[in-house]
Amino acid sequence: MEGLAANADLIVRGFWETLKLLAASGALALVLGTLVGIARVSPIGIMRSSAALWVTTFRNVPLLILLFFTYYALPPIGIDFGFFVMVTMAMGLYTSAFVAEAIRSGINGVGVGQAEAARSIGMPFSLTMSQVVLPQAFRLVVPPMASVFIALTKNTSLAAGFGIAEATFRLSGSLRDFPGDRVVLFLGIAVGYIIIVETISLGATLLERRWRVA
């Protein structure tokens, strides 16, 4: 317990970094994933093909490889926004592919008649998506989106290897200082991640229930 108590402030700051990384990369993934998901069902062939290539690429390249690429390959060619931003970019791009597939499944789950009715009154594809289809699609994809963000929460631990002082990074430092308390330290960090994951799950459950009633 001594190690956990002595490093409590560092561990809390570590989880704060984890939450910042989760929020930043999650927001990037949500925006990019929504755009790619819409492109996946676009009537324009080149957009569908480009979106399919995006999803195939980022779903099948390991996140660690993307982190190495953004961290080591981009700065030498002049693309360097700082460690935090580069790691956020890699995680956001990777996660956007999974968000896109969730959005696409939600769009396909909306009745075809909804889009046809919108088009029959002259609404273009962009307006049909933003005003008719997407609001309904988002209601359908709450559970899979929650799973995507839970996976992203766990993936933030990879940032420890790139100098981001998040929770796992703080754990490794605490283990060096207090090797005898490794079990307690591991449990303390695990509880922190469980709290974050359960918060996401609870939020998704409440949102799904609210939207179902609406």
Side-chain angles (χ1 to χ4, degrees):
M1 291 295 292
E2 180 185 357
L4 190 61
N7 291 279
D9 59 331
L10 291 177
I11 292 173
V12 170
R13 289 206 296 269
F15 273 111
W16 175 241
E17 287 297 315
T18 294
L19 291 173
K20 284 165 55 179
L21 189 59
L22 173 62
S25 56
L28 177 62
L30 186 60
V31 172
L32 289 177
T34 300
L35 294 176
V36 174
I38 293 172
R40 289 275 276 158
V41 298
S42 169
I44 303 174
I46 187 65
M47 290 184 65
R48 291 198 307 272
S49 300
S50 299
L53 179 62
W54 179 286
V55 171
T56 300
T57 300
F58 288 111
R59 282 186 70 182
N60 292 291
V61 175
L63 176 56
L64 189 58
I65 298 299
L66 290 176
L67 288 168
F68 276 123
F69 181 79
T70 56
Y71 195 82
Y72 293 112
L74 294 183
I77 61 174
I79 304 176
D80 187 359
F81 304 107
F83 295 159
F84 185 88
V85 175
M86 300 301 278
V87 170
T88 296
M89 184 167 62
M91 291 189 173
L93 291 172
Y94 175 81
T95 307
S96 70
F98 298 91
V99 171
E101 287 300 274
I103 294 295
R104 183 173 73 96
S105 68
I107 291 173
N108 289 335
V110 176
V112 178
Q114 299 285 323
E116 291 179 346
R119 286 194 294 269
S120 70
I121 60 174
M123 293 178 70
F125 176 78
S126 58
L127 201 58
T128 299
M129 276 292 150
S130 62
Q131 300 297 318
V132 179
V133 178
L134 274 183
Q136 298 179 72
F138 278 123
R139 295 185 181 190
L140 298 175
V141 301
V142 171
M145 289 288 281
S147 297
V148 168
F149 284 103
I150 287 172
L152 177 59
T153 301
K154 300 173 185 177
N155 287 336
T156 58
S157 61
L158 293 175
F162 298 87
I164 305 298
E166 47 75 66
T168 305
F169 181 91
R170 296 299 187 184
L171 172 63
S172 61
S174 300
L175 289 174
R176 287 193 298 269
D177 297 334
F178 298 90
D181 289 344
R182 60 173 61 91
V183 173
V184 175
L185 288 168
F186 273 117
L187 288 175
I189 295 296
V191 168
Y193 278 108
I194 290 171
I195 290 173
I196 296 175
V197 168
E198 287 302 312
T199 301
I200 294 173
S201 298
L202 177 61
T205 300
L206 294 176
L207 191 59
E208 185 182 17
R209 186 180 304 164
R210 178 179 179 182
W211 279 354
R212 185 186 299 127
V213 171

